[in-house]
Amino acid sequence: MTSIPQNQPPAVGAGGQAERTRLAERAEGIRRALVERPRFSLRLQMYLGFLAAFILSAGVAVALVYNFHDMENKIRFLEIVNDYVMEVEQARRFEKNFLLYGSNLSDALDSVFQAEQILTRNAGELAAVMGPGWSQVMLPKLRGYQALLERLGRLQGAAGAQGGPARQDLQARVRKEGQEMVSAALALLSKEKASLSTTTRRSRQILIYSLALLLVVLVLNAYLLGIRMLGSINRFGEYANRIAAGDYTPITPSRRYRDEFTDLALAINAMIQELENREAVLIQSHKMRAVGTLTSGVAHELNNPLNNITLTAHVLQEDYAGLSDAERQEMIADVVQEAGRAKKIISNLLDFARETGSQLEPLDLPHLLQETIDLAANQIKLLGIKIQLQSSDNLPRVHGDSQQLRQVFLNLILNAIDASAKGGKIQVIVVPADEPNYVAVKVIDFGSGIPAHILPSLFDPFFTTKGRGKGTGLGLSVSQGIVAKHGGRIMVSSQAGQGATFTVVLPVTTIPAELGEGRHPEPANRAKA
Amino acid sequence: MSTPLRVMLIDDEPIVGKRLGPVLEKMGCQTETFVEPAVALNRLAEQEFDVVVTDIRMEEVDGIGVLERVKALSPRTKVIMITGYATLEVAHEALAKGAFDFIAKPFEPRDMRQAVAKAAEALGLQMPEAAALMVEEILLTEESGLPE
């Protein structure tokens, strides 16, 4: 009786070990990929943003300071020119008095001297506004006028009050020169007034435009920071949802640089690893619970071969002398056969109970379901329940961990057994799902159904309808976690009094079978971070 | 011994009948063994038995069904239940319905002999072969030094 398949615990153990090593290497690889990017922290971006705003403000301040300086110069210049014009006009008034009454010439000359003093005293300021050539414009005119006045005074002293033609001519030149001088000064004054108002306007414009520019810079800064932070926050929100749904794929780099969110990603990856470890423990402990449930059926079933062996051995012992060789041979053959039967009854269960590493491989679902039903066969027989397996022909394979999926289906079948009345019926159907590239496994019972108000909480951890100490409320939650890891989902539909249907939808494998051996490629539709 | 004890044995495990049939025959019982309870029930309709030994858990008709049928046909018949994994619930049900005794699997031929002898006694029938066998058995176990 060596036909019972032998399992190879060392090989499976080694597989689990290799799996753990592989997972650890992958986690390390992802950690390195996350860390080994150039660092561009949020803090740095904030600093740079504010620095840009500061540089802009500083530029504005410098421009304004320069402009105010310019304005001050111009105002000073206007004051000088104004004083100059007043002195020149004063000179001209004295000149008029002199021409009319022959008096005040010395006053006029004094005013001209004052005007010249104003010009020479403020040579620096004038040069700053008019350029170095200023003295070529104003001083010669003033000096020409001064010279004419002096000549007129000398002529006056020599020829008395009566004017000759030379005096007439000189008077006309003095008047003309004086007029030109005043009008030139006035022209300069009005030009500089216009220039001052331009400078004032420029100050105002610098203020308004730089304010607008500052607004743009600040808005841009806020926008860039916002995009970066909100984008990352949204991304991490998606990660959280994904993790909550049971997808424990670590976060992989999604940008070209690292920052504070990278630290968060590293922490979340550590958390994911911890969650995954805990889930593995949870799955295993839940599996042991299922094993416990199956034990009553197994113990019952085991009694039959054990009883056959006991009876046969005792009869052989009692009647040994009176039996023919052929009869003895037959009895020994019975003992051997029944021992094999006993072994087979427990080997399925022990095989299922064994802790194994995650092994992904292409799976034939109808075959897997038949194995699962065999596992629960004793339980099913014990309660006199009929179970039917129907499957479509030529179903594509799914990619998954046979142990874990068997656990999911076993859980659904055990639930269906619990829901069924004694002597009831359970249907297990495998068909292509409504959506393409998915296969659906339906476990249908005809029990009392599930009330609509508890349907939404059915997959919540610790939710149970079974009595205290009978159910942990983790079966469906663990199952959902396993199915989600396979890229599928579990759905339930039920009507009170009409039983319930649990549907497990799994993606079909799109990876060639030979690749699936030992390489553990991820399911085709697995979400990428 | 005027009439031998008529015993019917029903168990869907063929080896049980195959081994216990000769054991009961040696006790002096007239034994019929059945693997399918439905066939056994048909036979019950034709022939009254003194003792019916039936497994509780069987496909189609279970031991409780057999018990009910036997009691309906012949109330004096003693029914001995073989149970694999004795549950209080089933035991209560069987007792309420008039079962005479229980034997829990796995059991030895001696357990069966004792149960049948007890049933025969309850029916007021003598079983000299059975008594002789039991003495022999005691001697046998003493000789082989098996612990009791």
Side-chain angles (χ1 to χ4, degrees):
Chain A
M1 286 278 118
T2 49
S3 62
I4 292 131
Q6 285 288 320
N7 300 295
Q8 298 109 9
V12 172
Q17 187 60 46
E19 169 81 7
R20 269 192 287 282
T21 315
R22 193 185 66 79
L23 281 177
E25 274 170 10
R26 198 179 110 195
E28 176 57 24
I30 288 171
R31 195 194 67 77
R32 226 179 297 129
L34 281 170
V35 170
E36 283 176 0
R37 289 175 292 172
R39 186 169 176 90
F40 175 44
S41 66
L42 266 177
R43 188 190 292 260
L44 183 63
Q45 186 178 340
M46 278 189 237
Y47 286 166
L48 287 181
F50 287 118
L51 186 66
F54 172 75
I55 287 174
L56 181 72
S57 307
V60 171
V62 167
L64 283 177
V65 165
Y66 172 77
N67 216 40
F68 280 128
H69 181 68
D70 197 20
M71 275 164 69
E72 269 169 15
N73 279 349
K74 282 190 171 132
I75 288 167
R76 177 90 192 102
F77 177 76
L78 279 178
E79 281 169 0
I80 296 163
V81 174
N82 213 32
D83 289 352
Y84 169 72
V85 167
M86 272 167 64
E87 287 300 335
V88 168
E89 280 180 337
Q90 190 67 25
R92 290 221 60 210
R93 272 194 290 275
F94 290 130
E95 171 216 313
K96 203 179 274 169
N97 283 353
F98 171 70
L99 293 180
L100 289 177
Y101 313 112
S103 61
N104 295 89
L105 181 63
S106 59
D107 292 330
L109 280 172
D110 192 39
S111 287
V112 168
F113 176 74
Q114 287 295 331
E116 196 183 339
Q117 282 293 304
I118 288 171
L119 290 185
T120 50
R121 207 169 44 234
N122 298 301
E125 280 90 343
L126 292 170
V129 175
M130 297 177 67
W134 71 275
S135 52
Q136 306 304 314
V137 183
M138 294 175 79
L139 272 180
K141 275 209 162 95
L142 191 65
R143 287 196 178 128
Y145 179 64
Q146 190 184 10
L148 284 174
L149 278 184
E150 280 168 356
R151 271 177 63 192
L152 203 58
R154 277 197 301 277
L155 209 62
Q156 174 97 353
Q162 297 307 309
R167 191 182 167 206
Q168 291 292 326
D169 178 50
L170 201 56
Q171 276 183 358
R173 276 181 63 192
V174 163
R175 211 174 290 128
K176 188 169 166 277
E177 285 276 312
Q179 231 154 25
E180 275 178 12
M181 197 174 59
V182 168
S183 66
L186 284 175
L188 186 65
L189 198 62
S190 76
K191 193 182 141 217
E192 283 310 314
K193 269 185 183 160
S195 167
L196 177 63
S197 80
T198 306
T199 309
T200 318
R201 203 162 51 240
R202 197 169 67 209
S203 277
R204 212 164 38 232
Q205 279 168 348
I206 286 175
L207 266 179
I208 291 169
Y209 288 136
S210 62
L211 205 61
L213 192 61
L214 189 64
L215 183 70
V216 169
V217 166
L218 288 178
V219 164
L220 192 69
N221 193 15
Y223 176 74
L224 290 178
L225 264 179
I227 276 198
R228 189 169 166 189
M229 294 215 285
L230 292 181
S232 292
I233 288 171
N234 286 343
R235 218 150 41 82
F236 278 87
E238 280 161 25
Y239 294 150
N241 287 338
R242 180 163 69 72
I243 294 164
D247 180 356
Y248 292 151
T249 324
I251 298 172
T252 52
S254 67
R255 295 168 310 183
R256 283 187 301 276
Y257 51 86
R258 74 190 163 98
D259 60 11
E260 288 82 349
F261 283 104
T262 308
D263 302 338
L264 184 58
L266 288 173
I268 288 182
N269 278 352
M271 182 190 77
I272 284 175
Q273 208 160 7
E274 197 54 40
L275 277 177
E276 206 161 18
N277 292 344
R278 282 180 195 201
E279 198 187 55
V281 172
L282 190 64
I283 288 175
Q284 182 62 21
S285 70
H286 192 264
K287 188 158 87 177
M288 293 325 286
R289 234 195 124 73
V291 169
T293 309
L294 292 177
T295 307
S296 64
V298 166
H300 198 281
E301 192 58 32
L302 209 50
N303 267 323
N304 283 321
L306 196 54
N307 188 49
N308 289 339
I309 291 169
T310 310
L311 283 178
T312 306
H314 273 279
V315 169
L316 191 61
Q317 190 186 36
E318 286 173 14
D319 297 348
Y320 191 82
L323 294 172
S324 68
D325 270 359
E327 282 171 322
R328 289 178 200 156
Q329 283 295 341
E330 191 209 331
M331 288 188 184
I332 291 167
D334 276 354
V335 169
V336 171
Q337 186 198 314
E338 291 300 304
R341 184 179 156 197
K343 186 173 162 184
K344 194 169 176 172
I345 288 168
I346 53 170
S347 76
N348 272 347
L349 188 70
L350 291 181
D351 193 22
F352 175 69
R354 181 179 301 118
E355 191 170 357
T356 55
S358 181
Q359 301 274 343
L360 294 176
E361 55 196 341
L363 301 171
D364 176 16
L365 271 185
H367 180 69
L368 185 82
L369 282 164
Q370 187 56 58
E371 281 177 359
T372 313
I373 290 170
D374 289 347
L375 198 56
N378 302 316
Q379 203 67 17
I380 291 165
K381 211 158 123 190
L382 183 63
L383 297 167
I385 287 167
K386 299 267 180 296
I387 188 157
Q388 247 186 347
L389 173 64
Q390 297 168 2
S391 61
S392 310
D393 293 332
N394 298 323
L395 275 171
R397 288 170 170 242
V398 301
H399 196 76
D401 180 330
S402 62
Q403 282 275 6
Q404 293 195 346
L405 287 181
R406 201 176 291 149
Q407 190 177 341
V408 169
F409 296 133
L410 178 67
N411 184 44
L412 292 180
I413 289 170
L414 288 179
N415 280 350
I417 291 173
D418 277 347
S420 299
K422 196 171 180 180
K425 187 175 82 167
I426 295 169
Q427 274 186 313
V428 180
I429 303 175
V430 201
V431 286
D434 296 335
E435 51 198 309
N437 294 325
Y438 280 84
V439 178
V441 177
K442 292 172 191 285
V443 178
I444 305 167
D445 70 68
F446 299 89
S448 56
I450 304 162
H453 69 273
I454 66 167
L455 274 180
S457 36
L458 219 52
F459 293 95
D460 294 350
F462 306 112
F463 179 85
T464 180
T465 56
K466 294 170 190 169
R468 185 179 279 272
K470 282 191 174 167
T472 55
L474 285 174
L476 283 175
S477 167
V478 166
S479 297
Q480 196 182 39
I482 293 174
V483 171
K485 270 173 96 173
H486 283 78
R489 58 185 192 281
I490 305 184
M491 292 160 289
V492 59
S493 66
S494 176
Q495 276 187 325
Q498 309 246 317
T501 301
F502 283 84
T503 308
V504 178
V505 178
L506 290 166
V508 304
T509 175
T510 50
I511 300 148
E514 58 272 20
L515 265 179
E517 303 292 327
R519 282 243 216 134
H520 313 288
E522 291 183 31
N525 71 333
R526 184 76 159 270
K528 279 266 183 238
Chain B
M1 197 60 228
S2 52
T3 48
L5 194 71
R6 294 193 78 99
V7 179
M8 174 186 265
L9 177 61
I10 315 168
D11 196 315
D12 56 0
E13 292 285 326
I15 291 178
V16 174
K18 200 160 73 179
R19 299 287 171 253
L20 284 183
V23 168
L24 293 175
E25 289 284 343
K26 254 204 253 172
M27 277 178 77
C29 303
Q30 193 179 334
T31 313
E32 289 180 38
T33 61
F34 295 88
V35 177
E36 290 170 63
V39 179
L41 289 182
N42 287 340
R43 177 67 184 142
L44 270 176
E46 300 165 11
Q47 171 71 52
E48 193 193 279
F49 285 82
D50 300 311
V51 177
V52 172
V53 183
T54 179
D55 193 9
I56 285 188
R57 208 198 67 194
M58 291 178 291
E59 304 258 328
E60 297 158 41
V61 187
D62 65 4
I64 301 291
V66 173
L67 171 65
E68 283 169 351
R69 188 68 191 278
V70 170
K71 284 295 168 187
L73 288 171
S74 154
R76 65 169 281 276
T77 302
K78 300 295 175 203
V79 180
I80 298 167
M81 316 294 291
I82 302 174
T83 164
Y85 185 72
T87 60
L88 226 60
E89 203 182 320
V90 180
H92 272 299
E93 192 182 351
L95 280 178
K97 287 179 174 164
F100 175 72
D101 203 357
F102 284 96
I103 302 178
K105 276 185 184 179
F107 58 89
E108 296 172 15
R110 181 177 46 186
D111 302 324
M112 180 58 73
R113 280 195 289 264
Q114 283 170 352
V116 172
K118 225 167 83 185
E121 207 175 305
L123 285 168
L125 297 169
Q126 291 299 311
M127 292 199 71
E129 294 94 336
L133 268 171
M134 282 183 191
V135 171
E136 193 181 310
E137 187 173 293
I138 291 161
L139 291 174
L140 194 85
T141 46
E142 275 175 3
E143 264 171 40
S144 61
L146 284 174
E148 269 304 286

